[in-house]
């Protein structure tokens, strides 16, 4: 929200300085984001070039004599501008003046042997624009000797306020002035609007077919207007806040929008066919809007239509067909109330951002609907002339104010500050609220311009922002003698440790959107259970993600598109399989692309390294589960995974037959094609919240850690098994041969070849043996090896490879 200081003082009678106003705005919750104050241009004056002769020693320089309008002798200035000439009127800077565009304070100096006492300035030198091909050339009637900043209306500071969405009342200059007056910084003025007596009834009638979208509509015809440029003061105010003046009729609507927060629309009455109807748009209807773009409408949108079709997109933008131009003689002034949600949804779908939409989707003052027409009527009559009719008001049944029961003790309870009862009630009254009652609980009537106030906490906020948040005394947090329990939850701890474990593996953390396109949700298991958004922020963000993988794959592809093809990304966040609390999961997921592998040393290798594959994804998944406390030694790996993985290069990690802890694998080519991505890609997902809680250990006696005094030994075995036998099954069989002596079994080789026979393969394992009671003899090792071979033979059918 932008406004000028002079505009603010139209509604606020105050002696406060700009600095005081800016500080007070921020302190009452209207944060000032920027102030454009051209105070540094005050020393520049309008001057006239009397003569301009060629510099004796420079072809591109001229020696000027300049009249600064102070009654003294002309000043000599050396100037290199190509448009410097006798009779030119421009902006002059005397010695001692700071020139912001070139960051120089002028002094008397010699240029090629000729003294120069100041300079004639270009727009870039005054920091007004990038124009520097010539000095400023003002009209012949520009008053010589007066302030250039005042003449160019650059002495009116522009204040920009960063509004929060809950303050629709502050989308107007009048609303901001009202807040400042309530804070004690001045007196609110200029609020009264006198009604106009009309000549006859408005010939255009209004029918509201969708009252749920339009609670009220006011319309007035003004005949015999003469449209042309708006007054200079109005144009300058619009330009100052970034708007382009168009014509008096259009500028009036923009002015009222910012001055009172009341968006209006003006129709050229002669271009409107018959009466107006407020209705839902019909399928296939289109409208050419004032921004010269054609928009396709849907029945979810509200429009204003005449007998020929749509004339305006309600609450957002008018149509080009009925817009006003220099030939307009009769004008219809419209002021209506529009449903905020419908307005926001329509603007988002059509991609239209307008000042009207900005205000209607936040909520405008319903009680200013009729006064808005009266104010616009006054300005039209003042600037364009004409004769108004009576006003046509349809559908508006009046505003029913909200009543909030407000315990005055809530101020102290929520803020820790004791604000006297009288001051509390006085603050609310100054802000336009109407407190009623004598006890501790008073009924507060909420003004029509504050739709954001719903409960007692909102009223406490209103009291405190005027009383002064700075009055809250900082209090240190109370300390405890000891921490009796863990501070973080198990899920928080697992999230942190999983992130660290994946980062150690050379992966970089990514934060992706929780919203994904519907086709991606269906691709990754969303289907009929997909959690769709009722009001998505964009068409390609319609569903809550059922998996973290689509976002990570898209991020990897974006890196590849920028020339970084070898990436390893991970994310630990939430997924959504439905709208129930039990259908929201905490998941750790990651993807590797290209040659972003990790070897046993912990170093990332690229270049001639092979492409990533299923075993890289498996290692990442197991590392994440181990960090979360999963019993890695008891995990079961089953071949195959969800449909988005390659069926022969994927796996599912289970703990027992029912508990699924994760999936991993290389992605199916059809998945990559549907996502429009390329390159070797593998990934994994582990379900952090599915890892069982560790069993509580007794705390009375500390467990005794036993370290064996005997040397550990490793033995290798190679078994020939059927090709369909899983390595995990063989590992578990070997472990079960002697759970006391065997501390670990790992696979280090898998071989297939004609020498083994058809449909056969060799799996080589390393068995770690840790004696506890005595040093094992050769006979002990032979007996243990025999048990291992027998156990593997019984459970897998494998035989020791010769």
């Amino acid at each position: 929200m932008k406004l000028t200081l002079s505009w603010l003082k139209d509604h606020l009678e105050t002696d406060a300085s700009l600095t005081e106003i800016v500080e007070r705005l921020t302190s009452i919750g209207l944060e000032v984001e920027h102030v454009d104050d051209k105070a540094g241009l005050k020393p520049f004056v309008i001057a006239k070039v009397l003569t301009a002769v060629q510099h004796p020693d420079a072809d591109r320089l001229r020696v000027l004599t300049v009249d600064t309008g102070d009654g003294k002798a002309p000043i000599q200035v050396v100037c290199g501008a190509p448009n410097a000439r006798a009779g030119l009127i421009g902006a002059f800077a005397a010695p001692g003046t700071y020139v912001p565009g070139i960051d120089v304070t002028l002094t008397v100096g010699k240029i090629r042997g000729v003294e120069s006492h100041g300079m004639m300035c270009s727009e870039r030198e005054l920091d007004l624009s990038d124009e520097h091909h010539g000095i400023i050339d003002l009209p012949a009637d520009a008053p010589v000797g007066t302030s250039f900043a005042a003449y160019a209306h650059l002495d009116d500071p522009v204040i920009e306020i960063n509004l929060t969405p809950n303050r629709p009342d502050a989308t107007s200059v009048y609303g901001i002035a009202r807040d400042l007056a309530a804070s004690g910084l001045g007196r609110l003025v200029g609020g009264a609007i006198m009604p106009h007596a009309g000549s006859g009834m408005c010939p255009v009638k209004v029918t509201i077919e969708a009252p749920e979208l339009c609670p009220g509509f006011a319309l007035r015809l003004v005949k015999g207007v003469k449209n042309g440029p708006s007054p200079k003061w109005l144009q300058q105010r619009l330009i100052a806040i970034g708007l382009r003046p168009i014509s008096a009729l259009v500028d009036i609507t923009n002015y009222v929008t910012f001055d009172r927060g009341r968006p209006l629309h003006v129709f050229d009455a002669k271009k409107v066919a018959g009466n107006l109807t407020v209705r839902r748009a019909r399928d296939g209807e289109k409208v050419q809007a004032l921004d010269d773009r054609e928009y396709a409408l849907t029945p979810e949108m509200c429009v204003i239509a005449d007998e020929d079709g749509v004339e305006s997109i309600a609450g957002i933008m008018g149509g080009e067909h009925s817009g006003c131009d220099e030939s307009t003689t009769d004008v219809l002034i419209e002021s209506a109330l529009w449903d905020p949600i419908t307005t926001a949804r329509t603007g988002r779908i059509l991609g239209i951002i307008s000042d009207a939409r900005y205000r209607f989707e936040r909520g405008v003052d319903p009680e200013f609907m009729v006064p808005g027409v009266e104010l616009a009527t006054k300005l039209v009559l003042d600037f364009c002339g004409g004769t108004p009719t009576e006003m046509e008001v349809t559908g508006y049944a009046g505003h029913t104010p909200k009543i909030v029961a407000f315990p005055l003790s809530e101020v102290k309870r929520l803020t820790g500050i004791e604000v006297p009862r009288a001051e509390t009630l006085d603050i609310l009254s100054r802000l336009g609220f109407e407190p009623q009652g004598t006890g501790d609980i008073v009924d507060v009537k909420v003004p029509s311009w504050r739709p954001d106030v719903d409960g007692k906490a909102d009223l406490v906020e209103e009291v405190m922002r005027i009383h002064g948040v700075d009055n809250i005394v900082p209090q240190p947090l109370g300390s405890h003698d000891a921490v009796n329990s863990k501070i973080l939850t198990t899920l928080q701890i697992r999230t942190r440790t999983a992130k660290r474990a994946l980062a150690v593996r050379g992966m970089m953390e990514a934060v992706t959107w929780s919203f994904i396109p519907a086709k991606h949700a269906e691709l990754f298991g969303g289907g009929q259970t997909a959690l769709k958004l009722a009001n998505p922020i964009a068409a390609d963000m319609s569903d809550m993600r059922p998996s973290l993988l689509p976002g990570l794959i898209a991020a990897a592809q974006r890196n590849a598109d920028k020339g970084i093809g070898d990436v390893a990304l991970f994310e630990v966040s939430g997924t959504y399989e439905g709208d129930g609390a039990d259908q929201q999961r905490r998941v750790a997921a990651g993807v590797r692309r290209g040659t972003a592998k990790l070897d046993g040393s912990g170093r990332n290798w690229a270049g001639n390294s092979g492409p990533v594959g299923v075993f890289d994804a498996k290692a990442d998944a197991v590392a994440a589960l181990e960090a979360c406390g999963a019993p890695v030694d008891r995990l079961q790996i089953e071949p195959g995974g969800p449909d988005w993985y390659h069926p022969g290069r994927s796996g599912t990690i289970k703990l027992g037959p029912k508990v699924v802890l994760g999936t991993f694998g290389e992605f199916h080519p059809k998945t990559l094609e549907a996502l429009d991505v390329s390159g070797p890609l593998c990934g994994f997902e582990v379900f952090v919240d599915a890892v069982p809680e560790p069993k509580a250990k007794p705390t009375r006696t500390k467990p005794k850690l036993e370290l064996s005094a005997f040397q550990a030994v490793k033995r290798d075995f190679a078994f020939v098994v059927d090709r369909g036998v899983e390595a995990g099954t063989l590992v578990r069989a070997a472990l079960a041969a002697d759970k006391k002596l065997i501390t670990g079994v790992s696979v280090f080789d898998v071989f297939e070849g004609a020498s083994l026979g058809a449909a056969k393969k060799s799996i080589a394992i390393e068995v770690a043996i840790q004696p506890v009671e005595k040093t094992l003899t050769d006979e002990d090792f032979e007996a243990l090896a025999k048990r291992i071979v027998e156990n593997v033979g019984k459970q897998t059918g494998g035989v020791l490879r010769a």
Side-chain angles (χ1 to χ4, degrees):
M1 175 65 190
K2 289 184 177 181
L3 67 157
T4 65
L5 182 61
S6 64
W7 196 346
L8 177 66
K9 290 189 175 181
D10 280 356
H11 298 301
L12 183 68
E13 191 177 276
T14 181
D15 295 327
S17 66
L18 174 64
T19 301
E20 291 173 326
I21 290 174
V22 168
E23 290 178 352
R24 184 62 59 86
L25 283 170
T26 300
S27 70
I28 62 176
L30 303 177
E31 180 184 0
V32 175
E33 195 168 60
H34 179 68
V35 176
D36 187 6
D37 186 9
K38 301 294 186 182
L41 299 182
K42 290 181 180 179
F44 296 85
V45 298
I46 298 176
K48 182 176 184 179
V49 179
L50 301 178
T51 63
V53 298
Q54 188 67 40
H55 191 289
D57 294 323
D59 293 339
R60 296 186 179 182
L61 298 179
R62 294 186 180 185
V63 181
L64 314 179
T65 56
V66 178
D67 177 16
T68 62
D70 58 0
K72 299 180 181 179
I75 295 173
Q76 179 173 281
V77 175
V78 177
C79 180
N83 65 334
R85 66 185 186 279
L88 179 142
I89 299 177
F92 171 75
T97 302
Y98 173 73
V99 184
I102 57 177
D103 193 23
V104 169
T105 300
L106 298 180
T107 60
V108 177
K110 284 188 177 183
I111 302 177
R112 292 288 184 92
V114 178
E115 278 195 353
S116 181
H117 298 261
M119 70 182 297
M120 298 295 290
C121 302
S122 67
E123 289 189 1
R124 189 174 74 171
E125 287 159 346
L126 297 188
D127 215 10
L128 300 179
S129 73
D130 291 331
E131 177 58 47
H132 64 285
H133 296 296
I135 56 179
I136 295 173
D137 192 349
L138 299 176
D141 59 353
V144 175
T146 61
S147 168
F148 170 74
Y151 171 81
H153 298 281
L154 299 172
D155 57 346
D156 193 6
V158 178
I159 304 169
E160 183 174 0
I161 297 173
N162 185 15
L163 289 183
T164 52
N166 67 319
R167 290 301 305 276
D169 60 301
T171 59
S172 68
V173 179
Y174 185 81
I176 293 170
R178 179 171 51 212
D179 257 21
L180 287 170
S183 72
L185 204 64
R187 186 172 68 89
L188 188 65
V189 295
I193 299 174
M194 299 301 295
H196 292 79
S199 175
M201 301 300 294
C202 179
V204 179
K205 303 302 178 184
V206 179
T207 302
I208 301 178
E209 293 184 358
E212 71 279 8
L213 305 183
C214 178
F217 197 104
L219 189 71
R220 167 174 277 160
L221 174 67
V222 182
K223 297 181 289 185
V225 302
K226 184 178 181 180
N227 194 16
S230 57
K232 196 70 176 177
W233 66 266
L234 178 53
Q235 293 187 39
Q236 289 164 350
R237 284 190 174 174
L238 295 180
I239 292 172
I241 63 174
L243 297 180
R244 179 174 61 90
I246 298 174
S247 67
L249 292 173
V250 177
D251 293 352
I252 287 169
T253 63
N254 287 331
Y255 176 77
V256 175
T257 296
F258 279 83
D259 187 67
R260 296 303 185 97
R262 162 36 69 178
L264 304 170
H265 185 62
V266 288
F267 298 91
D268 188 325
K270 293 185 178 180
K271 298 177 183 177
V272 175
N275 295 322
L276 295 177
T277 302
V278 178
R279 59 172 173 82
R280 293 181 180 272
R282 302 187 180 105
D283 275 327
E285 279 190 317
K286 296 181 179 180
V287 62
Q288 187 82 13
L290 288 172
D291 60 358
D292 293 328
R293 294 175 60 189
E294 186 178 70
Y295 295 97
L297 308 176
T298 65
E300 290 78 22
M301 303 173 184
C302 185
V303 298
I304 304 173
D306 62 7
E307 295 177 1
D308 290 340
V310 177
E311 292 292 351
S312 175
I313 306 172
I316 297 177
M317 187 173 288
E320 184 182 46
H321 169 262
S322 58
C324 296
D325 52 34
E326 64 277 358
S327 64
T328 300
T329 57
D330 298 339
V331 62
L332 287 166
I333 304 173
E334 168 256 308
S335 174
L337 299 174
W338 306 109
D339 175 57
I341 295 177
T342 302
T343 303
R345 183 186 298 117
T346 300
R348 188 175 294 119
I349 292 173
L350 298 180
I352 301 177
I353 300 174
S354 65
D355 293 321
R357 172 195 164 185
Y358 180 85
R359 286 158 177 80
F360 279 123
E361 68 185 7
R362 283 160 175 77
V364 300
D365 182 3
E367 291 289 86
F368 201 77
M369 182 183 74
V370 171
V373 176
E374 299 289 3
L375 177 58
T377 301
K378 177 183 183 303
L379 296 174
V380 169
L381 297 180
D382 290 346
F383 303 160
C384 307
T387 303
T389 67
E390 292 292 338
M391 193 184 308
E392 174 84 8
V393 180
T394 305
Y396 186 58
H399 173 68
T400 302
K402 289 182 283 189
I403 305 295
V404 178
F406 181 40
L408 299 179
S409 57
E410 283 293 283
V411 177
K412 175 67 179 298
R413 187 182 74 84
L414 294 179
T415 67
I417 293 182
E418 187 73 54
V419 180
R421 172 192 174 89
E423 183 181 351
T424 298
L425 299 180
D426 182 53
I427 288 173
L428 292 174
S429 298
R430 297 201 307 266
L431 288 170
F433 296 86
E434 297 180 27
Q436 301 169 348
T438 57
D440 178 63
I441 301 178
V442 298
D443 290 332
V444 178
K445 183 186 294 185
V446 180
S448 59
W449 60 82
R450 292 303 303 270
D452 58 301
V453 176
D454 290 312
K456 55 189 180 181
D458 298 323
L459 294 176
V460 172
E461 181 182 357
E462 293 300 302
V463 172
M464 285 311 304
R465 69 185 185 88
I466 301 300
H467 175 74
V469 178
D470 294 341
N471 292 322
I472 299 177
V473 179
Q475 297 288 339
L477 289 174
S479 60
H480 299 282
D481 294 335
V483 178
N484 297 322
S485 62
K486 64 181 182 181
I487 299 174
L488 300 179
T489 65
T490 300
L491 201 57
Q492 289 172 326
I493 295 172
R494 289 177 177 176
T495 299
R496 178 178 295 181
T497 55
K499 287 182 178 181
R500 289 178 177 174
L502 294 173
V504 166
R505 292 186 57 78
M507 307 185 80
M508 298 185 67
E509 184 176 8
V511 179
T512 63
W513 289 101
S514 297
F515 319 125
I516 61 174
K519 64 178 183 179
H520 291 182
E522 294 174 4
L523 193 64
F524 283 82
Q528 299 296 326
T529 63
L531 186 58
K532 294 187 175 294
L533 299 176
N535 192 17
I537 62 176
D540 60 349
M541 292 185 173
S542 60
D543 290 43
M544 298 296 287
R545 61 186 179 195
S547 168
L548 299 181
L549 292 175
L552 291 172
I553 294 172
Q557 185 62 36
R558 285 195 296 271
N559 279 272
D561 294 340
K562 297 180 184 298
I564 307 173
D566 300 327
V567 290
L569 305 175
F570 78 88
E571 182 173 9
V572 183
S573 189
T575 61
Y576 308 87
E577 300 172 2
D579 57 1
D582 58 338
Q583 293 175 299
Q584 299 181 19
R585 309 199 69 175
R586 176 63 54 142
V587 178
V591 298
R592 291 184 184 270
R593 187 187 187 281
T595 60
K597 301 170 73 71
L598 190 79
D599 72 352
S601 65
R603 289 189 285 246
N604 285 298
W605 293 94
N608 296 325
S609 176
V612 296
V614 59
F615 294 110
D616 300 301
K618 175 188 174 184
D620 291 332
V622 172
L625 286 171
E626 185 175 15
C628 293
V632 177
D633 57 330
R634 294 193 285 117
L635 297 180
Q636 299 175 13
I637 310 295
E638 294 184 357
D643 293 340
W644 51 88
Y645 290 118
H646 191 294
R649 302 173 189 170
S650 59
T652 301
I653 305 174
K654 289 186 174 182
L655 186 63
K658 295 182 179 180
V659 180
V660 177
L661 296 184
T663 59
F664 63 89
E666 299 175 25
F667 292 106
H668 199 292
K670 291 184 178 180
T671 302
L672 301 182
E673 182 181 358
L675 294 175
D676 193 23
V677 299
S678 62
L681 267 165
C682 67
F684 72 92
E685 278 188 303
V686 298
F687 309 117
V688 177
D689 50 7
V691 177
E693 290 274 1
K695 294 182 179 180
K697 297 181 179 179
T699 57
R700 290 186 179 181
T701 59
K702 294 183 179 180
K704 183 179 179 181
L705 181 62
E706 293 186 0
L707 297 177
S708 176
F710 304 101
Q711 179 70 37
V713 181
K714 293 181 179 179
R715 290 287 185 268
D716 296 341
F717 297 82
F719 293 93
V720 178
V721 295
D722 292 337
R723 187 176 296 171
V725 174
E726 298 174 3
T729 305
L730 191 147
V731 167
R732 288 192 293 274
L735 277 170
D738 193 320
K739 294 182 179 180
K740 188 175 182 180
L741 287 176
I742 299 176
T743 58
V745 177
S746 60
V747 178
F748 67 86
D749 181 61
V750 177
F751 170 74
E752 295 182 15
S755 61
L756 297 177
K760 295 289 184 178
K761 66 180 178 181
S762 169
I763 300 177
I765 62 175
E766 180 185 75
V767 180
I769 304 168
Q770 176 62 68
V772 177
E773 298 176 350
K774 65 175 184 175
T775 299
L776 299 182
T777 64
D778 290 341
E779 290 77 11
D780 294 330
F781 280 117
E782 289 178 4
L784 178 59
K786 184 179 180 180
R787 290 197 299 273
I788 292 174
V789 172
E790 290 176 351
N791 223 39
V792 170
K794 289 179 181 178
Q795 297 190 30
T796 67
V799 296
L800 199 63
R801 182 178 174 184

